[in-house]
């Protein structure tokens, strides 16, 4: 019996477009996903799962329409990690790795998420949890997703089903309504972090410079 390494499997997948149904049942994929639930989070497993998330959305793989079976295997396993985002006993590097997987899903599946389905909103809520993390390096991982989603929801030529002008506008408005509460929550989270602290005059030059850089980055999220 020949064992294919996870790295070789990824390389082969990209080069030859292995169907999602095949990858979804491949032992290397299942091993990497199951490793996410171990007490000690494996950086290698996180990297492999991250690569597969990006692969499922890439043009070379045929995209999400072709890789649906693999996506359906990946998403529940990553969603199972959500509780660890708020586990105070968790190592910060582990939390950062978990947040990265959620951010990867958001960035890769943003067009699917924009449909506003029940499953999509579960991912959105998890990304809100990442955005609420007190560490900026972790919270900011989601900023690209929120901006991309905003673009899709507000652009008239985004992925909205074909139909007459009235039905297109109705669907667009319905999607905006679905995500309204999520963006309200996000605005609340971000706005509380861009206010100058009461003691900002006592900050050192370097700390003040870093705060201004961080503040500017958060404001740019809404541009």
């Amino acid at each position: 019996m020949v064992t294919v390494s996870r790295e070789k499997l990824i390389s082969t997948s990209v080069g030859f477009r292995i169907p999602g149904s095949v990858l979804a049942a491949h032992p290397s994929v299942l091993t990497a996903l199951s490793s996410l639930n171990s007490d000690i989070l494996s950086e290698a497993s996180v990297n492999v799962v991250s690569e597969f998330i990006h692969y499922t959305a890439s043009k070379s793989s045929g995209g999400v329409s072709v890789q649906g079976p693999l996506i359906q295997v990946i998403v529940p396993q990553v969603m199972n990690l959500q509780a660890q985002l708020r586990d105070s006993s968790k190592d910060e590097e582990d939390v950062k790795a978990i947040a990265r997987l959620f951010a990867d899903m958001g960035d890769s599946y943003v067009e699917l998420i924009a449909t506003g389905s029940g499953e999509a909103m579960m991912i959105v809520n998890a990304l809100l949890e990442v955005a609420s993390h007190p560490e900026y390096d972790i919270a900011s991982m989601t900023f690209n997703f929120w901006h991309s989603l905003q673009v899709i929801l507000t652009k008239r030529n985004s992925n909205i089903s074909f139909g007459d002008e009235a039905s297109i506008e109705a669907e667009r408005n319905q999607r905006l309504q679905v995500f309204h509460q999520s963006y309200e929550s996000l605005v609340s989270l971000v706005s509380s972090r861009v206010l100058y602290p009461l003691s900002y005059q006592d900050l050192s030059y370097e700390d003040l410079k870093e705060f201004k850089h961080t503040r500017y980055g958060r404001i740019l999220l809404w541009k």
Side-chain angles (χ1 to χ4, degrees):
M1 182 176 182
V2 179
T3 301
V4 180
S5 71
R6 283 171 281 187
E7 291 77 10
K8 186 175 181 181
L9 178 61
I10 293 172
S11 177
T12 304
S13 301
V14 174
F16 297 97
R17 191 185 290 186
I18 298 176
S21 57
V22 174
L23 288 172
H26 196 284
S28 292
V29 175
L30 299 178
T31 298
L33 289 170
S34 63
S35 295
L36 296 177
N37 297 313
S38 62
D39 292 335
I40 301 177
L41 192 62
S42 165
E43 181 180 356
S45 295
V46 171
N47 289 338
V48 170
V49 174
S50 176
E51 287 291 334
F52 275 118
I53 290 172
H54 289 295
Y55 169 72
T56 56
S58 67
K59 290 182 180 179
S60 62
S61 75
V64 295
S65 60
V66 173
Q67 297 299 326
L70 180 55
I71 294 172
Q72 290 172 6
V73 170
I74 291 173
V75 172
Q77 292 294 330
V78 176
M79 289 300 298
N80 284 340
L81 303 174
Q82 185 175 353
Q84 297 186 40
L85 290 169
R86 51 183 178 272
D87 186 348
S88 58
S89 66
K90 216 55 180 161
D91 181 80
E92 185 175 319
E93 289 304 312
D94 284 351
V95 174
K96 189 175 292 187
I98 293 169
R100 172 187 157 202
L101 290 178
F102 279 105
D104 285 343
M105 286 204 310
D107 291 338
S108 298
Y109 307 146
V110 62
E111 292 180 358
L112 289 176
I113 293 170
T115 62
S117 68
E119 291 181 350
M121 297 313 293
M122 290 174 65
I123 298 175
V124 169
N125 289 334
L127 288 165
L128 273 174
E129 194 157 349
V130 176
S132 71
H133 197 279
E135 289 296 327
Y136 176 73
D137 287 348
I138 293 177
S140 62
M141 290 180 184
T142 67
F143 288 179
N144 184 67
F145 160 75
W146 295 112
H147 175 71
S148 298
L149 180 61
Q150 178 192 16
V151 169
I152 291 174
L153 293 175
T154 56
K155 296 292 185 183
R156 292 184 59 81
N157 60 346
S158 292
N159 297 320
I160 293 179
S161 58
F162 294 105
D164 58 39
E165 190 71 20
S167 62
I168 290 174
E169 186 65 19
E171 184 173 346
R172 176 173 171 272
N173 288 334
Q174 192 223 348
R175 291 191 185 185
L176 289 171
Q177 186 61 37
V178 167
F179 289 97
H180 179 76
Q181 183 61 51
S182 299
Y183 273 97
E184 275 197 342
S185 299
L186 182 65
V187 169
S188 177
L189 287 170
V190 174
S191 61
S192 66
R193 296 181 178 186
V194 299
L195 297 175
Y196 278 96
L198 294 175
S199 59
Y200 82 93
Q201 291 180 326
D202 298 326
L203 293 175
S204 67
Y205 173 78
E206 288 301 322
D207 287 343
L208 184 58
K209 183 179 178 181
E210 182 179 353
F211 175 79
K212 287 181 177 180
H213 174 75
T214 300
R215 181 176 187 268
Y216 182 66
R218 288 166 180 161
I219 291 173
L220 278 181
L221 172 64
W222 308 109
K223 298 295 187 181

